[in-house]
Amino acid sequence: MKNLIIVSLISLASFSMIACSNTNKSAANSTKDTTASTNTAPADTKSTTAKGGVDPKTTASVKEMVGNYLQLKNALTKDNSTDAATAGKALSTGFAKLDQSVLTPTQKKAFTDIADDAKEMAEHIGMSGGKLPHQREHFDMLSKDMYDLVKLFGAAQPLFVDHCPMYNDKKGAIWLSETKEIKNPYMGSSMSTCGTIQEELK
């Protein structure tokens, strides 16, 4: 029996090494999924607790904010700075008007930490019509905040966490998308399909 277990473990290890060395796109995505899940384990634990007791008012507000964020993202994919500014203003307003009285103390603290930064990023985008590079700089930081917001409260819809490896001198950046199809908001029409899916949020 011991020999059978040892042989099974060796076979599993060999399979893992082969899978890690596979360079096709789906394997790369799987690796990134694992990495993302490992790196965000504490946030996942916190968000699971929070989502279990999310007030319907909060769910509705977050859904609206995610909608505004997606409008902003889609405007940037089309290099449309004016529409991006409009969506940025709407998103900023959404953060300001979310009713914090229905949040638990833990949710309120986490939301405040996210909202203080996200509202400022959205405001900058809203005031920067005609300045696509500047809007994209703030969108990078805003996307991280929106990721944390969705992890905390849920999004009431499936979302994909996409990654652009080229943005910011190849330091890379994430964004949230409602579709599996890659449409890159950082590169716009110049490299619209650049990127990979890192994670799926449900």
Side-chain angles (χ1 to χ4, degrees), residues 46-48 50-55 58-63 65 95 98-100 102-104 106-112 114 146-156 202:
K46 178 179 71 175
S47 64
T48 301
K51 283 186 232 179
V54 178
D55 188 275
T58 304
T59 300
S61 294
V62 172
K63 185 176 181 180
M65 286 190 283
F95 274 104
L98 185 140
D99 184 1
Q100 295 189 42
V102 298
L103 302 181
T104 67
T106 301
Q107 289 172 342
K108 187 171 184 178
K109 182 182 184 309
F111 175 74
T112 301
I114 294 166
M146 290 301 295
Y147 175 86
D148 290 340
L149 183 74
V150 170
K151 281 286 192 177
L152 180 64
F153 294 123
K202 295 180 181 180

Side-chain angles (χ1 to χ4, degrees), residues 13-180:
S14 299
F15 177 77
S16 299
M17 290 174 67
I18 291 168
C20 288
S21 64
N22 192 339
T23 56
N24 68 39
K25 193 171 185 179
S26 62
N29 288 345
S30 297
T31 304
K32 287 177 181 176
D33 283 347
T34 304
T35 303
S37 298
T38 302
N39 291 342
T40 58
D44 286 347
T45 303
K46 178 179 71 175
S47 64
T48 301
T49 303
K51 283 186 232 179
V54 178
D55 188 275
K57 287 183 182 178
T58 304
T59 300
S61 294
V62 172
K63 185 176 181 180
E64 182 180 345
M65 286 190 283
V66 168
N68 289 326
Y69 169 85
L70 294 174
Q71 287 178 12
L72 168 55
K73 180 266 297 182
N74 290 330
L76 292 177
T77 65
K78 298 173 184 175
D79 302 322
N80 190 327
S81 180
T82 302
D83 285 355
T86 300
K89 289 175 185 175
L91 181 54
S92 174
T93 300
F95 274 104
K97 72 178 186 180
L98 185 140
D99 184 1
Q100 295 189 42
S101 69
V102 298
L103 302 181
T104 67
T106 301
Q107 289 172 342
K108 187 171 184 178
K109 182 182 184 309
F111 175 74
T112 301
D113 290 344
I114 294 166
D116 286 348
D117 186 61
K119 185 174 179 293
E120 182 181 347
M121 296 305 110
E123 284 175 351
H124 274 288
I125 292 169
M127 294 185 296
S128 301
K131 301 175 182 176
L132 271 171
H134 187 65
Q135 288 177 319
R136 284 174 171 143
E137 285 177 18
H138 289 289
F139 181 76
D140 178 5
M141 293 176 275
L142 175 63
S143 292
K144 294 170 188 172
D145 292 324
M146 290 301 295
Y147 175 86
D148 290 340
L149 183 74
V150 170
K151 281 286 192 177
L152 180 64
F153 294 123
Q157 71 179 92
L159 292 173
F160 300 92
V161 182
D162 296 340
H163 179 259
C164 171
M166 302 296 292
Y167 185 68
N168 193 15
D169 294 326
K170 297 186 179 179
K171 292 176 184 174
I174 65 160
W175 77 91
L176 306 184
S177 177
E178 71 279 27
T179 65
K180 284 187 176 181

Side-chain angles (χ1 to χ4, degrees), residues 165-197:
M166 302 296 292
Y167 185 68
N168 193 15
D169 294 326
K170 297 186 179 179
K171 292 176 184 174
I174 65 160
W175 77 91
L176 306 184
S177 177
E178 71 279 27
T179 65
K180 284 187 176 181
E181 183 183 2
I182 296 293
K183 291 185 177 179
N184 191 316
Y186 298 106
M187 310 307 287
S189 58
S190 65
M191 293 180 72
S192 62
T193 60
C194 174
T196 55
I197 296 173

